């Protein structure tokens, strides 16, 4: 099992802090991970909300990380490709690849929040189809192929993007919130999968991973060609009760801040039940019901869907994920805003990592 760091998040809320200090934790955690053999640092694409508001463009953030790291892979989790022109995606990430010496990777995502689509509102309804078209276009541009495009004078021209990346082949990922068909589609492309436990549990994921591996093989790829990375909220310490005291309040606050996105989405949402049988509309409307939902959610994450605890208690979850075929845990560093506390938690995470991935940090490039 390999481990990476993933920043999403609400703990970097920059509404009042306009200095570079708002990125201090990201930069220092990335250097920590780079020096201690973690696999990657992921940053998201988020728009128009304090929740994750420091990350509107992962290629810009990854370019900065390229200058302070030397080993670790630099990944977007994810590039919401329907919000972009594929030529710009290829150009920007080629810059990251050059600056990092060939360490750039990113996951394609189709997007979900209608407000994000102010860039290309006409793409919202068919966003998944747009994403798959763009994957083929970006792959071709990355490989150095020319593509036809219409210029400002209305003429069709051939374009080729620059700079040329270091890696000849784009390491391809696709983000899935648990949709089985998305995972099979990724397998048919030979792509790796970034997923989570929002809409699925470990048992459901196990079946999807098995189908993914079979689809890889039937599509002409080695069964082990693609990787499965699972995002898990993470804080690891030495004492279980102390960890619980540290994480409960900020984690519930984090979950509450994510509900603001659901409130904005509510006019477009499909009615349904939240965990515990609570109606989604009721949870978004009634603070008391929302609090009940948040307490229920914390209990679920604490028990079985996050790396919150000690190396011993978290080791059980890591082993179970290994058994179902997960290759990597993308550790979400995203809900506690105290610098010293979070950096201390990384030391605990390192001790957990060393139990499952004891190999020393690779030599610097």
């Amino acid at each position: 099992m390999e481990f990476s760091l993933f920043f999403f998040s609400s703990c970097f809320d920059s509404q009042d802090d306009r200095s570079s200090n708002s990125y201090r934790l990201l930069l220092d955690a990335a250097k920590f991970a780079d020096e201690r053999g973690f696999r990657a640092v992921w940053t998201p694409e988020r728009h128009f909300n304090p929740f994750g508001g420091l990350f509107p463009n992962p290629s810009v953030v990854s370019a900065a990380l390229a200058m302070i790291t030397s080993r670790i892979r630099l990944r977007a989790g994810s590039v919401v490709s329907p919000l972009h022109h594929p030529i710009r995606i290829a150009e920007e990430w080629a810059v990251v690849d050059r600056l990092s010496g060939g360490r750039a990777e990113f996951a394609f995502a189709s997007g979900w929040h209608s407000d994000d689509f102010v860039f290309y509102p006409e793409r919202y309804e068919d966003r998944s189809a747009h994403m798959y078209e763009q994957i083929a276009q970006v792959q071709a541009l990355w490989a150095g192929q020319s593509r036809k495009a219409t210029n400002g004078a209305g003429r069709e021209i051939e374009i080729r993007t620059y700079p040329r990346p270091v890696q000849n082949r784009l390491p391809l990922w696709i983000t899935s919130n648990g949709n089985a068909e998305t995972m099979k589609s990724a397998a048919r492309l030979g792509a790796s999968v970034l997923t989570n436990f929002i809409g699925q549990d470990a048992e459901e994921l196990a079946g999807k991973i098995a189908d993914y591996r079979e689809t890889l093989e039937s599509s002409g790829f080695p069964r082990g060609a693609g990787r499965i990375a699972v995002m898990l909220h993470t804080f690891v310490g030495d004492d279980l009760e102390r960890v619980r005291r540290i994480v409960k309040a900020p984690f519930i606050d984090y979950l509450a801040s994510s509900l603001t996105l659901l409130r904005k989405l509510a006019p477009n949402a499909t009615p349904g039940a939240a965990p515990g049988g609570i109606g989604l509309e009721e949870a978004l409307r009634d603070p008391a019901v929302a609090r009940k939902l948040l307490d229920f959610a914390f209990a679920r994450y604490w028990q079985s869907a996050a790396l919150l605890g000690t190396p011993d208690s978290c080791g059980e979850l890591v082993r179970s994920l290994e058994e179902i075929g997960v290759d990597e845990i993308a550790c979400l560093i995203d809900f506690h805003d105290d610098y010293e506390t979070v950096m201390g938690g990384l030391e605990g995470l390192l001790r957990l990592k060393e139990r499952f991935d004891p190999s020393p940090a690779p030599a610097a490039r």
Side-chain angles (χ1 to χ4, degrees):
M1 181 72 75
E2 293 187 314
F3 291 77
S4 55
L5 300 187
F6 201 125
F7 295 85
F8 190 75
S9 76
S10 68
C11 67
F12 302 96
D13 188 342
S14 60
Q15 292 181 96
D16 299 319
D17 184 359
R18 301 189 183 189
S19 72
S20 60
N21 287 337
S22 54
Y23 290 97
R24 179 188 175 204
L25 180 56
L26 167 69
L27 298 175
D28 287 353
K31 287 186 278 190
F32 176 95
D34 185 55
E35 294 165 0
R36 289 161 176 80
F38 284 75
R39 178 66 177 175
V41 175
W42 301 81
T43 51
E45 177 178 347
R46 290 291 309 119
H47 299 286
F48 317 133
N49 195 282
F51 188 86
L54 287 186
F55 302 101
N57 189 328
S59 67
V60 175
V61 177
S62 294
L65 297 180
M67 306 312 295
I68 63 168
T69 59
S70 61
R71 308 174 179 92
I72 201 162
R73 308 294 294 181
L74 304 175
R75 297 184 186 148
S78 311
V79 173
V80 184
S81 64
L83 307 184
H84 304 275
H85 196 290
I87 293 172
R88 291 295 287 158
I89 297 173
E91 288 178 336
E92 291 178 5
W93 283 93
V95 172
V96 177
D97 207 46
R98 290 286 285 266
L99 288 173
S100 66
R103 293 183 283 131
E105 301 182 21
F106 56 91
F108 283 84
S110 60
W112 63 282
H113 205 299
S114 60
D115 287 359
D116 291 351
F117 281 77
V118 296
F119 300 104
Y120 289 100
E122 69 278 7
R123 294 181 179 177
Y124 181 68
E125 293 300 326
D126 296 320
R127 57 194 181 276
S128 182
H130 277 289
M131 181 190 75
Y132 286 110
E133 290 172 6
Q134 290 174 312
I135 287 173
Q137 293 165 349
V138 173
Q139 284 184 307
L141 291 166
W142 191 276
Q145 299 175 25
S146 62
R147 310 297 288 178
K148 287 182 170 60
T150 302
N151 70 8
R155 296 197 312 271
E156 189 175 73
I157 61 172
E158 294 273 343
I159 62 98
R160 188 168 181 260
T161 58
Y162 298 96
R164 302 303 311 136
V166 174
Q167 299 175 98
N168 292 325
R169 183 176 178 273
L170 175 65
L172 179 60
W173 293 77
I174 292 178
T175 300
S176 169
N177 281 334
N179 184 285
E181 187 52 44
T182 300
M183 292 184 66
K184 290 180 182 178
S185 296
R188 286 189 280 269
L189 294 172
S192 298
V193 172
L194 173 66
T195 190
N196 54 49
F197 279 149
I198 292 176
Q200 61 188 339
D201 58 25
E203 184 177 352
E204 292 171 315
L205 179 58
K208 294 169 188 175
I209 292 175
D211 290 343
Y212 168 82
R213 298 291 178 198
E214 290 176 6
T215 306
L216 272 173
E217 201 167 31
S218 64
S219 301
F221 299 99
R223 194 175 179 86
R227 297 174 56 78
I228 302 292
V230 175
M231 293 176 268
L232 294 178
H233 298 286
T234 299
F235 187 90
V236 182
D238 294 324
D239 180 84
L240 193 61
E241 284 308 310
R242 181 173 179 272
V243 170
R244 186 182 179 90
R245 288 195 301 272
I246 289 172
V247 305
K248 184 173 182 179
F251 191 76
I252 286 178
D253 288 343
Y254 166 89
L255 294 172
S257 67
S258 69
L259 282 180
T260 63
L261 290 178
L262 290 177
R263 288 190 180 97
K264 290 180 69 177
L265 187 64
N268 305 317
T270 301
I278 300 170
L280 176 59
E281 293 177 352
E282 184 183 4
L284 297 178
R285 185 174 60 247
D286 187 329
V289 175
R291 182 68 192 192
K292 183 178 179 181
L293 170 62
L294 294 171
D295 287 338
F296 182 94
F298 174 76
R300 174 182 179 264
Y301 279 110
W302 176 260
Q303 293 169 5
S304 61
L307 294 182
L308 302 175
T310 66
D312 286 337
S313 67
C314 294
E316 297 176 14
L317 178 56
V318 176
R319 277 188 289 273
S320 68
L321 293 177
E322 273 190 327
E323 289 171 359
I324 66 172
V326 173
D327 302 291
E328 179 180 324
I329 296 176
C331 301
L332 286 158
I333 311 300
D334 61 348
F335 64 89
H336 206 299
D337 60 2
D338 182 77
Y339 174 89
E340 298 297 339
T341 300
V342 175
M343 292 303 291
L346 292 183
E347 294 288 351
L349 175 59
L350 177 62
R351 290 192 289 276
L352 174 65
K353 170 190 172 299
E354 289 172 343
R355 295 187 179 191
F356 295 90
D357 181 20
S359 56
R365 292 175 184 269

